[in-house]
Amino acid sequence: MKMPPRQLPQSLDKGLLPIYVVSGDEPLVVQECCDSIRAAAKKAGFSERELLHAEQHFDWGQLLASAGSMSLFAEKKVVELRLPNGKPGDKGSKALQEFARLASDDLLLLLVLPKLDRSQLNSKWIKALDQQGALIQVWPVDAREMPRWIHQRLRAAGLDAEPEAIQILAERVEGNLLAASQEIEKLKLLSDDNLITAETMNDAVASSARYDVFGLIDRALAADADAAIKTLQGLRAEGVEAPVVLWALAREIRSLLEIGEKLDRGQPLQRLVRIQKRQPLVQSALSRLQPRQLESLLLRARAVDNAIKGGRDQDPWTGLLELTLNLCGKRSV
């Protein structure tokens, strides 16, 4: 069954399903959904967890083997499968359909995917998993909804804010939910009476305005490698989390791919990039980066995401530096 993220906590309180498919490109909400499912499973006695990354050349036999193997001390097991490109191929499709048939009260599958397109949603493997569990699709929060989302998040944190203060934060984070959440955590420390005024919000967001992820993106699009590296180093020094930087870079790469495709179909750049000052930046980036190069950068971004989650023996910031250089059109050393 299809389930919006907001209904997940209530559903988990009623009992666990054998399969959860979490799909979307909003890292914060995806992570929170997964955390909720893991916590509910642990509470229900699922003492064993196996994490699999289905990247290129993945052996899908591992998935079925993990379903059949249980440690001596575990009675219930969670198999968490991360599929970065959302496309399992023929072998993966068969393996997932077989896993759906094996689903039981003692075996739980948590499948984490990027946003799925229409063909993926209509695939046999998604339908098989959906019949046995829940499909949780995480949608971006658009600019109109962002103030309300921030207000709800503030209330959940025990805070309230003036409408002007909420608008300041909404404009600052520009749709980045993870950045908004981190700003709210800072506000909890700054607030004395739990009411965030516009002045308090201005001071809070100004404190991190010296280096920001959006400035990093603009400098990378402009192929100003020196400035981009300096900005990246500044972000790290100011305590900005690596997932926030990765979110901004990956979003821009996906955006460039989409804009490039639409330009090839004859749509004007002015319609695709509404902010006039960004139009030459986007045009510059597309002139030096071919679609295959952008697709390669997305694969690199997924590798950095894997490193952030501990799946690769690499410093995530080294990966972010390489990704930034590549977006500038430079080869990483």
Side-chain angles (χ1 to χ4, degrees), residues 131-285:
Q131 287 176 359
Q132 297 295 329
L135 171 60
I136 303 161
Q137 292 179 272
V138 177
W139 300 104
V141 178
D142 64 28
R144 289 176 300 176
E145 296 172 342
M146 195 65 187
R148 184 176 63 176
W149 186 92
I150 289 173
H151 194 203
Q152 290 172 344
R153 198 82 182 186
L154 285 164
R155 297 295 294 271
L159 302 172
D160 203 350
E162 296 175 351
E164 185 181 351
I166 293 172
Q167 192 61 41
I168 289 170
L169 182 54
E171 292 174 0
R172 169 67 179 162
V173 298
E174 296 187 12
N176 187 335
L177 303 188
L178 189 54
S181 177
Q182 290 181 333
E183 291 291 346
I184 290 169
E185 288 300 310
K186 287 198 303 182
L187 288 166
K188 288 168 65 175
L189 302 175
L190 295 173
S191 174
D192 294 327
D193 58 2
N194 294 336
L195 176 64
I196 308 300
T197 64
E199 182 180 3
T200 300
M201 188 70 79
N202 256 326
D203 291 342
V205 299
S207 67
S208 59
R210 187 179 172 200
Y211 295 104
D212 63 81
V213 290
F214 304 108
L216 171 67
I217 295 301
D218 285 351
R219 291 171 186 116
L221 292 179
D224 190 345
D226 291 339
I229 292 171
K230 183 178 179 181
T231 303
L232 182 67
Q233 292 169 339
L235 289 167
R236 185 177 187 179
E238 291 189 348
V240 176
E241 298 289 341
V244 175
V245 181
L246 178 61
W247 169 87
L249 288 167
R251 186 183 74 159
E252 195 63 34
I253 294 165
R254 284 193 294 269
S255 177
L256 288 172
L257 269 170
E258 183 178 347
I259 291 170
E261 290 175 359
K262 291 180 178 179
L263 286 173
D264 289 342
R265 294 200 293 267
Q267 295 190 35
L269 182 65
Q270 292 78 8
R271 183 183 299 173
L272 300 173
V273 183
R274 299 288 186 179
I275 302 175
Q276 189 172 2
K277 69 177 184 179
R278 298 198 79 245
Q279 292 171 4
L281 297 176
V282 171
Q283 199 162 33
S284 172

Side-chain angles (χ1 to χ4, degrees), residues 50-53 57-69 77 79 81 95 99:
E50 185 171 356
L51 178 61
L52 301 173
H53 292 272
H57 307 305
F58 176 70
D59 179 6
W60 285 95
Q62 291 183 49
L63 177 63
L64 298 179
S66 66
S69 64
K77 180 177 182 179
V79 177
L81 177 66
F99 197 105

Side-chain angles (χ1 to χ4, degrees), residues 29-102:
V29 182
V30 168
Q31 185 65 38
E32 289 179 341
C33 287
C34 292
D35 287 345
S36 297
I37 294 166
R38 294 189 202 103
K42 186 176 181 180
K43 186 177 180 181
F46 285 80
S47 55
E48 184 177 358
R49 172 175 171 257
E50 185 171 356
L51 178 61
L52 301 173
H53 292 272
E55 296 178 326
Q56 192 175 15
H57 307 305
F58 176 70
D59 179 6
W60 285 95
Q62 291 183 49
L63 177 63
L64 298 179
S66 66
S69 64
M70 195 85 70
S71 74
L72 295 174
F73 306 101
E75 296 180 356
K76 296 183 176 183
K77 180 177 182 179
V78 174
V79 177
E80 183 170 338
L81 177 66
R82 296 183 175 272
L83 185 58
N85 66 3
K87 299 176 181 178
D90 291 340
K91 291 182 179 179
S93 174
K94 292 176 182 177
L96 288 167
Q97 291 177 71
E98 179 61 26
F99 197 105
R101 287 190 284 270
L102 297 173

